[in-house]
Amino acid sequence: MRKLSLGLLGASFALTMMAPALAEDTDVTIVLSEELDLIDPCMASQSNIGRVVLQNISETMTELDGSGGGLKPRLAESWEPVDSDTWRFKLRQGVKFSDGTSFGAEDVAHSLKRVVAEELVCEIGAKYFGGSTITTEIIDEHTIEITSDPAQPIMPLQLSGLTIVPSETLMEYTREPIGTGPYQLSEWNVGQNVILTRRDDYWGETPAVTKATYVFRSDDAVRAAMVATGEADFAPKISELDATNPATDFAYPNSETVYLRLDTMIAPLNDIRVRQALNLAIDREAFIGTIIPAEAILATAIVPPSTIGWNADLAVPAFDLDKARALLAEAKADGVPVDAEITLIGRTSNFANVTEVMEALLAMYQDAGFNMKLEMYEVAEWLDFYSQPFAEDRGPQIIEAMHDNAKGDPVFSMYFKYASEGLQSALRDSKVDQMIADATAATGDERTKIWSDLFAYLQDEIAADVQLFHMVGFSRVAERLDFTPTIATNSEIQLSQIGFK
Amino acid sequence: MRHFIGKRAFASGLSLIGLVVLVFFLSRLTGDPTALFLPLDASLDSRERFRELHGLNDPLLVQFAHYVWDILNLDFGDSIRKARPALEVVLAAFQWTLILALTTIFFVTTSAIIIGSLAAFYAGGIFDRVATFLSLIGASAPDFWIAIVAIVLFSVNLGWLPTSGTGTIWHWIMPVAVLFIRPFGLVLQVVRGSMMTALSSAYVKTARAKGVRVRPIIFVHALRNALLPVITVIGDLSAGMLNGAVVVETIFGFPGVGKLMIDSILQRDFTVVLAAIMVSAMAIFLMNLLIDIAYSVLDPRIRY
């Protein structure tokens, strides 16, 4: 009898271990490439965290429509400027956090304070509010005024990156995020999965997805295979090589732009003819469809075409080897040390085929007559070359970088990359500094025009850098889902936008 | 024996101290974790604040003194990236590695000993040739290739097994099988070689002449004497597995200590790297001790 009992117990355990949990038709499984280290809303600008947290658990005051619909209200119903540096936001009423508390102005003030708090380093604070002093004044329970020093005319857009947490949230990283979003964190099995379940008391429309399970696989082929076998419903990032099924695989603009930053402070890169030659010496078209995906677009600016001020009149520099050689000869005749060895610096694993792209660029430059060598570095070492302070004794350097701007406004890029004080700028041009300051302070059409003029000035008049490609990502979506990835998929996956066929 | 264990513990403790000092200073040479934790366009202020918060601005010797003091108080520090105790992070991952390693070693040992012994007994026959051929293929095949091919074949094409993960017993079949193949080939060859020597010994010939049956000759008389080199090889393989099976963990999404260690090195999460090394070193020390004890059990001539 005892043996029989043990046998039955063993059999039932084995069956439990062997049987996968039954899932409902409206449950989805999403396979991400990186596991979450943290699940704090203030870190949601990291893509792997944002894809779980943003607009699912935690919502923002405003929301940038990834399909080109501009800035939309989310937790803020409306906003208006009070003066040049202060904005007033009217908050949505009747919104509750997943812990049952009500959402109000106190929570917005606390969230802003928390992302820049000294006790914890939040990526959202560093990314969107670094260098600004933000103060708040609560007018009433559902009205708040936010002041930025220096003035920030795109405050409503900046707030599309701020995740709102309850005012009780401690000034330390939380492992149990509370938000106003349509989902709440129900399980976090470290190393295995994160599970979100739909809230019944969400203020907005009830989404179709009832439960989302996020699993983590670092291998591209495995993520693609998981969707193919039905183990997962969506893999936001797969390799181009695996994107072979037109029914499930999508290319989408991922808001990343690859460019070469030229150190305009060091000869011979301080000569405009040399910089123009660098632009003319490469056959950008040759990369497309070969070692860069066919869906990628040749770039004329550091921001993707969906960004305001993107200048459609700019032409991609033509591949003209003779002209490049002539410009170099002209510079040499004027005493520019064009024979000086230039170091082309690439970042390993920055994107698929980055090494091959860098080697091809090197060959093209050497063909044009440049004395150049290639060095590849992993991210931390590469950042020493890319970010200020630069080494005093450095030689002429060209740095390959990939920049992400999914926020729709160049302000998130231009100061850092082109202003004289910008952290990753190797350009010192007072006209550029002024245009960035003017555009940052301007609104509406004027803002758009200044950005547009700046892009033209950077490319056509001073050849500030070598723009290469607006990149694309590849994703696999199960046929049962009604969902198309957009430029926003690089940073968030809103479960409420997923339907079923 | 107690004296021997004490001596071994003392020697291992010294090695561990040396290892910690070495890894502490070498890991700091790899760079600053600030660059990897914060976004590229984070301001210099934010970077400075991060360094201050995590004591990265202190002189290296001060950082080391803090670290040693914390370890003496059994505090391995917090993971910079995961914001929780490094030891907790490592132990959570280590339990997966331990189960994976022990399961694999169990299957490798039993199957290699049985098949290797029979192959030695029937040396030159069909069974021996097939076993040798397959084991050499297994010992030569790269893990990542076997893993990807297995997923394509058994998950995508045949639909028999899940591609990856840890949810059910079915999820464990491919990772264990992939991890099994190479050590199996190696151990089988060692068992076969060692058994051929043992089977040609005078005492085996005597046993055969006395009419002892085949099974006792192989598995009682010869095997015990042939096992010493086998245990050495298995111990070496086990040590490797306890450090994590990075390829298998990466491809099959196993949250083990090997992948954790590689990720932590790449992300400069120093406390986790050091905690992982300490835990792995302790595990290897214990395993070596077990192997030494196994020697003395198998060969009464060995005395400590």
Side-chain angles (χ1 to χ4, degrees):
Chain A
M1 191 62 184
R2 192 175 166 203
K3 274 186 183 171
L4 182 66
S5 304
L6 281 173
L8 286 173
L9 192 67
S12 60
F13 173 74
L15 281 172
T16 311
M17 285 295 286
M18 288 163 78
L22 291 176
E24 283 188 35
D25 289 345
T26 50
D27 294 351
V28 294
T29 299
I30 296 170
V31 54
L32 302 178
S33 56
E34 278 179 86
E35 201 195 336
L36 275 69
D37 288 323
L38 295 166
I39 202 163
D40 193 297
C42 83
M43 297 297 287
S45 52
Q46 270 184 20
S47 62
N48 59 334
I49 300 175
R51 281 168 167 162
V52 176
V53 171
L54 263 182
Q55 315 299 10
N56 295 325
I57 297 173
S58 295
E59 292 180 293
T60 51
M61 295 274 278
T62 60
E63 182 186 358
L64 189 67
D65 187 347
S67 55
L71 197 63
K72 299 190 303 185
R74 189 89 186 201
L75 289 175
E77 279 187 324
S78 63
W79 51 88
E80 58 181 357
V82 177
D83 52 44
S84 62
D85 53 6
T86 302
W87 286 79
R88 178 177 296 144
F89 292 86
K90 296 289 283 182
L91 307 182
R92 195 176 293 281
Q93 300 194 24
V95 175
K96 286 198 180 300
F97 286 100
S98 57
D99 64 355
T101 56
S102 295
F103 159 72
E106 287 275 0
D107 304 308
V108 177
H110 181 73
S111 302
L112 275 164
K113 199 172 155 192
R114 188 169 182 269
V115 294
V116 293
E118 294 201 350
E119 298 91 323
L120 72 174
V121 180
C122 286
E123 186 166 310
I124 284 179
K127 191 165 184 172
Y128 298 121
F129 302 99
S132 302
T133 305
I134 306 287
T135 49
T136 55
E137 187 181 347
I138 295 169
I139 306 300
D140 62 45
E141 200 185 336
H142 293 101
T143 310
I144 187 167
E145 286 184 1
I146 304 173
T147 303
S148 172
D149 179 23
Q152 193 45 270
I154 57 155
M155 172 75 74
L157 182 61
Q158 276 181 302
L159 292 187
S160 68
L162 175 74
T163 43
I164 302 297
V165 294
S167 55
E168 297 79 21
T169 310
L170 300 176
M171 293 295 186
E172 59 187 43
Y173 292 123
T174 177
R175 296 179 63 78
E176 292 167 355
I178 304 292
T180 58
Y183 295 86
Q184 60 187 345
L185 178 71
S186 55
E187 276 180 60
W188 182 10
N189 302 304
V190 176
Q192 296 177 72
N193 57 35
V194 169
I195 299 174
L196 306 190
T197 46
R198 191 173 68 188
R199 285 175 58 193
D200 295 328
D201 57 345
Y202 178 57
W203 61 268
E205 278 181 36
T206 304
V209 173
T210 45
K211 184 172 112 178
T213 303
Y214 297 85
V215 294
F216 315 101
R217 304 287 184 269
S218 20
D219 191 86
D220 290 337
V222 172
R223 291 194 299 278
M226 286 183 75
V227 181
T229 58
E231 287 174 54
D233 298 293
F234 179 36
K237 187 181 169 198
I238 63 170
S239 152
E240 184 190 4
L241 295 173
D242 294 314
T244 52
N245 183 354
T248 56
D249 303 342
F250 297 89
Y252 62 98
N254 66 4
S255 68
E256 305 269 12
T257 302
V258 177
Y259 77 112
L260 302 179
R261 192 197 66 191
L262 311 179
D263 189 341
T264 62
M265 293 175 280
I266 305 271
L269 300 176
N270 58 356
D271 188 277
I272 185 169
R273 289 163 297 189
V274 174
R275 298 200 298 271
Q276 286 169 334
L278 285 165
N279 269 286
L280 295 167
I282 50 172
D283 183 0
R284 293 168 172 82
E285 292 282 357
F287 291 89
I288 303 292
T290 52
I291 49 178
I292 290 289
E295 294 82 357
I297 301 169
L298 296 183
T300 54
I302 200 169
V303 293
S306 54
T307 315
I308 68 155
W310 189 79
N311 195 329
D313 297 332
L314 292 181
V316 174
F319 173 48
D320 191 337
L321 210 49
D322 292 337
K323 197 172 173 186
R325 286 176 180 149
L327 282 165
L328 278 183
E330 191 185 319
K332 189 174 183 179
D334 288 345
V336 177
V338 295
D339 296 330
E341 188 179 57
I342 298 171
T343 311
L344 180 62
I345 294 171
R347 176 178 157 186
T348 53
S349 309
N350 200 12
F351 55 87
N353 296 332
V354 61
T355 307
E356 289 79 358
V357 168
M358 296 308 291
E359 284 169 351
L361 287 170
L362 177 71
M364 288 175 186
Y365 282 137
Q366 287 174 337
D367 201 22
F370 284 99
N371 177 13
M372 201 176 281
K373 64 173 178 179
L374 171 65
E375 292 178 2
M376 298 293 292
Y377 293 95
E378 59 89 47
V379 59
E381 287 178 288
W382 168 87
L383 200 59
D384 287 339
F385 297 104
Y386 187 49
S387 282
Q388 300 212 50
F390 301 130
E392 286 291 330
D393 57 349
R394 68 191 186 281
Q397 293 174 343
I398 299 178
I399 317 283
E400 169 273 321
M402 188 163 74
H403 174 62
D404 175 24
N405 185 334
K407 281 292 174 197
D409 193 293
V411 75
F412 297 106
S413 309
M414 304 310 282
Y415 180 79
F416 292 110
K417 308 298 177 191
Y418 295 102
S420 297
E421 299 294 318
L423 200 59
Q424 285 113 25
S425 169
L427 185 65
R428 300 292 179 266
D429 186 310
S430 55
K431 186 174 175 183
V432 171
D433 291 347
Q434 190 57 51
M435 289 175 89
I436 291 172
D438 291 347
T440 304
T443 54
D445 291 344
E446 189 196 354
R447 184 182 183 90
T448 306
K449 183 172 183 322
I450 302 173
W451 286 132
S452 192
D453 291 346
L454 178 57
F455 292 134
Y457 178 74
L458 288 170
Q459 175 167 294
D460 290 347
E461 292 188 43
I462 62 168
D465 47 25
V466 179
Q467 294 296 334
L468 294 172
F469 319 109
H470 295 306
M471 301 296 272
V472 290
F474 292 89
S475 64
R476 178 167 284 182
V477 184
E479 289 189 64
R480 77 185 186 103
L481 295 194
D482 182 10
F483 177 70
T484 307
T486 68
I487 195 166
T489 307
N490 207 31
S491 48
E492 64 182 44
I493 300 166
Q494 292 200 33
L495 296 170
S496 58
Q497 292 174 352
I498 297 178
F500 297 93
K501 289 176 184 167
Chain B
M1 179 64 95
R2 198 177 294 171
H3 178 65
F4 170 75
I5 293 173
K7 256 172 59 181
R8 263 306 176 90
F10 181 71
S12 299
L14 282 182
S15 308
L16 203 59
I17 290 169
L19 192 67
V20 167
V21 173
L22 199 67
V23 173
F24 182 90
F25 288 103
L26 284 180
S27 62
R28 260 59 179 185
L29 286 179
T30 60
D32 184 347
T34 316
L36 300 170
F37 187 84
L38 291 174
L40 289 181
D41 39 16
S43 66
L44 291 174
D45 276 356
S46 304
R47 290 173 194 275
E48 193 55 27
R49 204 146 45 84
F50 181 87
R51 288 194 191 98
E52 203 59 46
L53 201 64
H54 295 285
L56 299 168
N57 279 338
D58 294 338
L60 209 51
L61 284 176
V62 174
Q63 290 184 43
F64 184 65
H66 284 155
Y67 181 72
V68 171
W69 177 251
D70 288 343
I71 284 199
L72 291 175
N73 288 292
L74 294 178
D75 176 4
F76 285 74
D78 285 348
S79 158
I80 287 180
R81 295 193 70 88
K82 297 174 193 298
R84 59 197 180 102
L87 190 61
E88 182 187 313
V89 171
V90 171
L91 289 178
F94 190 73
Q95 64 180 357
W96 290 102
T97 297
L98 194 63
I99 299 171
L100 193 61
L102 290 180
T103 311
T104 308
I105 287 295
F106 170 76
F107 285 117
V108 166
T109 308
T110 48
S111 52
I113 285 176
I114 293 169
I115 297 171
S117 301
L118 292 174
F121 190 79
Y122 298 110
I126 293 284
F127 183 84
D128 178 34
R129 283 164 194 263
V130 171
T132 302
F133 177 70
L134 291 179
S135 69
L136 286 177
I137 287 180
S140 321
D143 288 355
F144 72 90
W145 182 81
I146 298 175
I148 293 290
V149 169
I151 288 173
V152 170
L153 184 64
F154 296 110
S155 304
V156 179
N157 291 341
L158 298 172
W160 291 351
L161 295 168
T163 56
S164 53
T166 53
T168 67
I169 207 162
W170 301 111
H171 289 89
W172 287 75
I173 293 176
M174 278 202 289
V176 170
V178 170
L179 212 50
F180 167 90
I181 290 172
R182 289 182 73 188
F184 169 73
L186 184 65
V187 177
L188 188 140
Q189 286 303 311
V190 174
V191 171
R192 181 180 174 276
S194 184
M195 277 296 280
M196 284 181 76
T197 309
L199 288 170
S200 59
S201 305
Y203 66 89
V204 171
K205 287 178 185 159
T206 307
R208 288 176 106 163
K210 284 167 71 181
V212 179
R213 283 181 300 158
V214 171
R215 200 185 294 175
I217 287 177
I218 298 175
F219 295 110
V220 177
H221 298 284
L223 184 61
R224 185 164 171 176
N225 287 299
L227 273 183
L228 290 184
V230 177
I231 283 177
T232 307
V233 173
I234 288 172
D236 190 40
L237 289 170
S238 305
M241 283 190 200
L242 287 175
N243 273 324
V246 180
V247 172
V248 167
E249 288 172 10
T250 302
I251 292 179
F252 292 108
F254 251 70
V257 81
K259 186 168 184 303
L260 174 74
M261 215 180 312
I262 294 290
D263 289 346
S264 303
I265 290 167
L266 292 175
Q267 296 163 344
R268 318 272 194 277
D269 201 343
F270 302 135
T271 50
V272 175
V273 174
L274 282 158
I277 285 172
M278 296 274 266
V279 169
S280 291
M282 289 297 290
I284 290 167
F285 160 67
L286 286 174
M287 203 192 54
N288 283 336
L289 203 61
L290 286 176
I291 289 168
D292 286 333
I293 293 168
Y295 281 154
S296 68
V297 170
L298 285 171
D299 188 344
R301 290 169 300 181
I302 298 174
R303 283 281 171 269
Y304 299 115

